[in-house]
Amino acid sequence: MLKEIRAALLFGLAVWVYQATNPPPPKICGTPGGPPITAPRIKLRDGRYLAYKEHGVSRETAKYKIIYVHGFASMRHNTMSVAKLSVEVVEELGLHLVSFDRPGYGESDPHPKRTPESIALDIEELADHLEFGSRFYVMGFSMGGQVIWGCLKYIPHRLAGATLIAPVVNYWWPGFPANLSTEAYYLQLPQDQWTLRVAHHAPWLTYWWNTQKWFPASAVAARKPEVFSRQDLEILSMVTDGRMNRPQTMQQGKFETLHRDMMVGFGKWEFDPMDLKNPFPNNEGSVHLWHGDEDQMVPVSLQRYIAQRLPWIKYHEISGSGHMFPYIPEICEAMIKAPLLEKK
C-alpha cells in the first residue's frame, strides 16, 4: 500500500513539474486555430515572420527613417505620442517611422531562442527589407529601450542615431556597483523582486511563477497602480491605445511575450552595456537617453550611473515625471527631434 501511495505521489509530482516548466504552445498567427494575419509582415532569414506598421511621410520622400521598438505588454500600434505629432511637424522633418511587433507580440512569430543579439538583427533585417539605406535611426521605450543596447552592440555600423526612453535595466549587469544595484532592486515591490529573481536565477520556472496562485506575481504585468507615479496615473487615464490593443497584443500567448521579455531582459547577457564604446566617435550621430526622475519601475539612480560611465550618451532627466512621460506630446516631439536636428 505504501508503495502505491509513494508511486502516486511521485507521479503527481512529475506531472506538476512538467506542467510548471512546459507552458502551452503559442497560437501562431495564420496557422489553424491561430489568430488571423491583418498586418504587413516580412519573412526573416530563419523563416519567422515580423509584423510592422508605417507612419509619417512615404519612404521614398523621407529624410529621416526611424525604427521604433515598443515596450512590455505592447505592440506595433503603441508608439507613445507619435500619432499626435502634427502633420506640419512630420512633413517638415520628412519623418518616416516604422513600428513592429517584437517576436511573439501581436502578429510577429514567437522566437523561443530570442536574445539581445537576435532582436537587433531582426531590426537590421526589417530596415533592409524596407530599403532604409546604409544607416537609420532606432528608438525604443521601456523594455524596447533596453533593446536599443543590443543595437548599439551588434549593429552600430547601421545606426545614424539611437534613443533610449526610460529603458529597463538589468540589475545583474556587472558594471553596476553592487551596493547601487542592490539598493535600486529593493525599491521594487516584493512581488516584482521575486518575479525578477525567478527570471534571472531559474528562468525555467518563469511560466510557473507567473501563473501560480499562491503568491502574487508581477505587479508590473498586472499594471498595479503602485508601480506608477502620480503623473503616470494621470497620463494613463487619458491614454487609450494600450488598453484598446491589449487583447491583440498577447493573442499568441503570454509565455512568448511577457514571460520571454522577463527571461531575456533580466537573464544573463553576453555583454554589459557599460562596456560599450561610442558608436559615433566623429560625431556623425548621437545616442540619447531620456528618463523621469520619479520613475517607480526603473530607478533613476541606475540611469544616472550609466550616463556617468558612458559620457558620450546625451542624458535627459525629466523632472517630476515617472515612466509614462513619452505619452506627453511635447516631450515625445522633443525626443524625436533631438537626434535629427542636432546635425543641422
Side-chain angles (χ1 to χ4, degrees), residues 194-211:
W194 276 105
T195 297
L196 300 193
R197 279 193 192 102
V198 170
H200 182 79
H201 296 290
W204 56 90
L205 288 177
T206 299
Y207 169 72
W208 170 77
W209 178 260
N210 286 280
T211 55

Side-chain angles (χ1 to χ4, degrees), residues 23 31 81 105 121 141 162 222 237 271 279 294 308 321 331 342:
T31 62
S81 292
Y105 282 103
L121 297 180
F141 169 52
S237 69
F271 73 97
E294 295 183 8
Q308 277 186 322
S321 286
I331 294 179
E342 65 187 359

Side-chain angles (χ1 to χ4, degrees), residues 210-260:
N210 286 280
T211 55
Q212 51 78 34
K213 306 301 180 185
W214 295 307
F215 308 102
S218 171
V220 174
R223 297 194 176 188
K224 297 284 188 182
E226 299 94 314
V227 304
F228 296 105
S229 72
R230 179 180 298 179
Q231 185 195 69
D232 287 340
L233 294 173
E234 292 173 357
I235 292 171
L236 286 171
S237 69
M238 297 181 286
V239 172
T240 59
D241 65 340
R243 280 171 286 183
M244 288 168 58
N245 300 318
R246 196 168 175 82
Q248 190 183 355
T249 299
M250 293 171 285
Q251 63 185 348
Q252 299 184 87
K254 290 186 178 180
F255 183 73
E256 288 297 344
T257 51
L258 307 185
H259 304 168
R260 185 68 63 189

Side-chain angles (χ1 to χ4, degrees), residues 49-117:
Y49 284 90
L50 202 71
Y52 66 93
K53 182 178 181 179
E54 298 183 86
H55 316 255
V57 302
S58 70
R59 272 182 266 159
E60 293 73 24
T61 61
K63 183 177 181 181
Y64 299 111
K65 298 173 183 178
I66 302 173
I67 291 182
Y68 173 77
V69 190
H70 68 75
F72 186 71
S74 300
M75 63 183 302
R76 66 187 182 280
H77 297 307
N78 306 124
T79 54
M80 310 179 297
S81 292
V82 169
K84 294 182 181 178
L85 289 176
S86 69
V87 174
E88 292 77 18
V89 168
V90 172
E91 292 183 346
E92 179 186 352
L93 290 174
L95 177 67
H96 183 80
L97 183 143
V98 171
S99 53
F100 69 99
D101 291 334
R102 291 194 286 111
Y105 282 103
E107 296 180 31
S108 288
D109 288 347
H111 190 192
K113 296 182 179 179
R114 173 154 56 105
T115 65
E117 180 178 13

